[in-house]
Amino acid sequence: MLEEVSALLASARPNPAHTGLGQLQQMGLLQAIITQNIDNLHQEGGASRVIEYHGNAKTLSCLRCNQRYNANEIEGQGPPKCDCGKILKPDVVFFGEPIPRKALQESYDLASDCGALLVLGTSGEVAPANTIPQTAKMAGATVIEINVESTVLTNYLTDIFLQGKASEVMTQLMEEVETMVAQR
Ligand SMILES: [Zn+2]
């Protein structure tokens, strides 16, 4: 099972939504990305500041000496081991484990002090990530939502609803942004 997941993760590539967000960050238009994904695709799509609620499956850590390894540098059979001999744990947050406190704190700090919040690829129903749009809204931010269907957020929180698939809407959005930046 874990091997199948690893194979799936290894073959996944960033889509236009990942690369678009990465570009926005490189342009200084997007401060940070808060995600529940563990696939590292935001980073592979060019993003530098990614706050991960559920960790990252591309790395493993030693719980004894804190040494971190990339999943692709682990070789051989059997459970992956650290140089110190201890078995390595994937850097993902498993069911029942708490979301890293640093990630929570950082995301709330950002949400309570942002001009706009872009919400995509989420139904807005999973706690505690679903409280971020609320925090941002209460702090006066414009909430922009990209989703195929309307969600619980759409009617009571969203200021601008861009209906469609994240990768398609982001492609259009990036064309607009590039035109605007070129005209500046
Ligand atoms: Zn170790």
Side-chain angles (χ1 to χ4, degrees):
M1 173 65 185
L2 204 61
E3 274 166 25
E4 281 170 38
V5 174
S6 308
L8 208 65
L9 285 172
S11 64
R13 295 280 171 268
N15 67 32
H18 298 110
T19 54
L21 293 173
Q23 253 177 292
L24 286 176
Q25 210 173 40
Q26 286 166 18
M27 294 163 101
L29 297 171
L30 179 68
Q31 258 186 294
I33 296 167
I34 302 164
T35 185
Q36 297 177 97
N37 298 347
I38 58 165
D39 53 20
N40 203 50
L41 292 180
H42 283 299
Q43 290 89 335
E44 287 167 35
S48 52
R49 188 171 178 195
V50 183
I51 300 165
E52 295 168 319
Y53 269 24
H54 294 163
N56 191 311
K58 289 278 170 89
T59 58
L60 300 93
S61 291
C62 175
L63 297 181
R64 182 154 69 195
C65 71
N66 290 325
Q67 180 74 30
R68 181 169 282 182
Y69 296 83
N70 282 323
N72 57 17
E73 52 181 39
I74 308 268
E75 291 166 8
Q77 301 287 311
K81 280 191 184 156
C82 180
D83 290 339
C84 79
K86 182 104 175 150
I87 289 174
L88 296 169
K89 178 187 176 293
D91 289 332
V92 294
V93 175
F94 289 101
F95 288 110
E97 286 187 320
I99 289 166
R101 196 187 303 188
K102 188 170 169 280
L104 280 177
Q105 188 58 53
E106 212 179 337
S107 58
Y108 284 113
D109 289 347
L110 284 162
S112 45
D113 187 27
C114 68
L117 179 80
L118 190 59
V119 179
L120 65 161
T122 174
S123 62
E125 284 172 33
V126 182
N130 63 353
T131 57
I132 291 171
Q134 219 156 2
T135 306
K137 182 78 175 185
M138 278 168 65
T142 302
V143 177
I144 307 162
E145 181 186 357
I146 301 174
N147 260 322
V148 178
E149 303 284 348
S150 59
T151 66
V152 289
L153 300 175
T154 314
N155 288 326
Y156 88 106
L157 267 185
T158 300
D159 295 296
I160 303 169
F161 183 47
L162 303 173
Q163 192 162 14
K165 284 174 74 174
S167 52
E168 287 164 15
V169 175
M170 278 305 294
T171 301
Q172 290 177 335
L173 200 65
M174 289 315 294
E175 283 168 15
E176 298 278 339
V177 168
E178 275 155 24
T179 311
M180 276 171 61
V181 168
Q183 284 168 351
R184 263 207 310 232

